[in-house]
């Protein structure tokens, strides 16, 4: 039964303890991405970071994750999904322990890079385990909805949890908290997931492709993170751009000649996967950029504390989680394509309402209509795009398909945020006051327009192909 067509599901069987473990893995990835944000001032003061270098506590994680996702996806296919899940969880636990004990800026930045590699291994392993443990159709859709709700919750609860831990125990607690959780994940994954079995010796790991792809994408993400702040014409930016282009070109040449390529060419003929990759890039560039601007609005415009900002993100987290569940049911009733169009359209309306409600004297309740509409659309679209990315893909390619979609998710977020920050800061705004508010509002309204265009593009694609698939 195709995940892209309306279906009738008379029974909803329990999905079991393995899904709980997989959802917890996604929660750890999401939490680790942003739990350090509220701890940055204390980290900077405690370890003697300069203002310029402190950003790399976050950026090192982003760059490493984006660069290693393709490698992580193919490793899950070739080396075993359970093995990679356990290895990634142990990598998280070990690096988090070192991070909490760090006493030098360089050590902590290196730890964050290792955590990013752990995320790049864990994300595709988790996603490909879901798509192979649960049959395509209602069971997989429900599993992806639960997994998506865990990720949505982690992104928003991370700020609140970080604030609580920093105030109670200091900045090192945001690292130590990962150690027992990640260790338990490794034990549970080894105990609950099916054995991977012996490695298929007829399939070879494309070392040249892995090195060129990882190097090229890592440099590309580094460029997108570094250049907006430092300038696009600096020697570092220009050198990164040239090296990235050269490595990615070499990667394309290597893949054409490889007997067992890192990214099989057959995947680029899979229209559903290609469409899902486009949706993940747009999703990350728009929905995932909103918390950045809302944080500025809460803390800079209205003077919220770190704890109050975390509390302000609780409702969006709940609404997004509700949206993931509603999206799964909408797929069963209407098909994934219609649901994606509706999710993006709802997100566009919500972002527009939110942008208009961002005022210097506005209250939090005034933001709620936009937050609710946008959160429901975001949750539904998140579930739908992963259903699309896995539908019709052979089991032996689920890992690399997950890696491709999550790589475009990472790159889309980097590109989108860089563009939005440029638009917000390119209109003469100062670092505070009414100018900053105008920039934040402009960015959110651009997000609304981009989501609306995405919904129209998906609708036009459906009419052009005459199919209910994405």
């Amino acid at each position: 039964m195709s995940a892209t067509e309306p279906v009738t599901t008379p029974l909803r069987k329990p999905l079991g303890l393995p899904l709980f473990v997989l959802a917890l893995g996604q929660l750890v990835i999401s939490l680790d991405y942003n739990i350090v944000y509220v701890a940055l001032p204390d980290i900077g003061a405690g370890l003697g970071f300069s203002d310029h270098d402190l950003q790399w506590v976050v950026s090192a994680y982003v760059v490493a994750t984006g660069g290693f996702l393709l490698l992580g996806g193919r490793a899950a296919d070739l080396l075993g999904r359970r093995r990679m899940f356990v290895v990634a969880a142990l990598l998280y636990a070990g690096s988090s322990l070192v991070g909490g004990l760090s006493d030098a800026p360089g050590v902590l930045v290196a730890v964050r890079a290792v955590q990013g590699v752990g995320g790049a291994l864990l994300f595709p392993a988790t996603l490909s385990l879901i798509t192979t443990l649960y049959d395509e159709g209602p069971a997989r859709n429900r599993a992806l909805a639960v997994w998506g709700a865990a990720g949505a919750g982690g992104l928003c609860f991370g700020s609140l949890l970080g604030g609580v831990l920093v105030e109670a125990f200091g900045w090192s607690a945001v690292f130590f908290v990962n150690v027992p959780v990640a260790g338990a994940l490794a034990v549970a994954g080894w105990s609950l997931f099916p054995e991977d079995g012996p490695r298929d010796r007829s399939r070879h790991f494309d070392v040249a492709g892995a090195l060129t792809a990882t190097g090229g994408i890592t440099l590309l993400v580094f460029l997108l993170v570094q250049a907006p702040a430092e300038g696009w014409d600096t020697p570092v930016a220009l050198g990164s751009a040239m090296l990235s282009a050269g490595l990615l070109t070499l990667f394309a040449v290597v893949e054409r000649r490889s007997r067992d390529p890192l990214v099989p060419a057959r995947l680029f003929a899979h229209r559903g996967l290609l469409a899902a990759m486009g949706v993940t890039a747009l999703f990350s560039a728009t929905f995932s950029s909103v918390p950045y601007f809302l944080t500025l609005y809460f803390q800079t415009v209205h003077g919220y504390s770190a704890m109050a900002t975390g509390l302000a993100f609780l409702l969006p987290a709940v609404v997004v989680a509700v949206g993931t569940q509603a999206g799964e049911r909408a797929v069963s009733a209407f098909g994934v394509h219609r649901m994606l169009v509706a999710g993006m359209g709802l997100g566009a309306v919500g972002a527009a309402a939110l942008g208009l409600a961002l005022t210097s004297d506005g209250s939090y309740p005034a933001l709620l209509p936009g937050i609710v509409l946008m959160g429901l659309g975001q949750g539904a679209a998140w579930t739908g795009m992963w259903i699309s990315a896995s539908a019709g893909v052979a089991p032996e390619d689920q890992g690399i398909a997950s890696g491709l979609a999550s790589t475009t998710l990472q790159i889309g977020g980097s590109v989108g945020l860089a563009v939005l920050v440029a638009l917000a800061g390119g209109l003469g705004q100062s670092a505070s006051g009414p100018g900053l508010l105008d920039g934040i509002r402009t960015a959110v309204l651009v997000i609304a327009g981009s989501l609306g265009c995405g919904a129209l593009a998906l609708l036009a694609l459906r009419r052009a192909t005459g199919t209910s698939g994405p």
Side-chain angles (χ1 to χ4, degrees), residues 19-31:
L19 180 60
F20 174 79
V21 175
L22 291 168
L24 185 60
Q26 174 65 1
L27 181 67
V28 168
I29 296 171
S30 301
L31 283 172

Side-chain angles (χ1 to χ4, degrees), residues 16-84:
L17 189 57
L19 180 60
F20 174 79
V21 175
L22 291 168
L24 185 60
Q26 174 65 1
L27 181 67
V28 168
I29 296 171
S30 301
L31 283 172
D32 212 48
Y33 177 78
N34 69 342
I35 195 173
V36 300
Y37 275 104
V38 295
L40 286 178
D42 294 83
I43 291 173
L47 296 184
F49 273 94
S50 67
D51 292 338
H52 177 270
D53 291 337
L54 187 60
Q55 64 162 324
W56 282 105
V57 176
V58 175
S59 298
Y61 185 90
V62 174
V63 171
T65 302
F68 281 80
L69 278 167
L70 277 183
L71 180 62
R74 203 52 174 166
D77 287 333
L78 297 181
L79 304 180
R81 297 174 180 90
R82 186 180 76 160
R83 292 189 187 99
M84 296 313 301

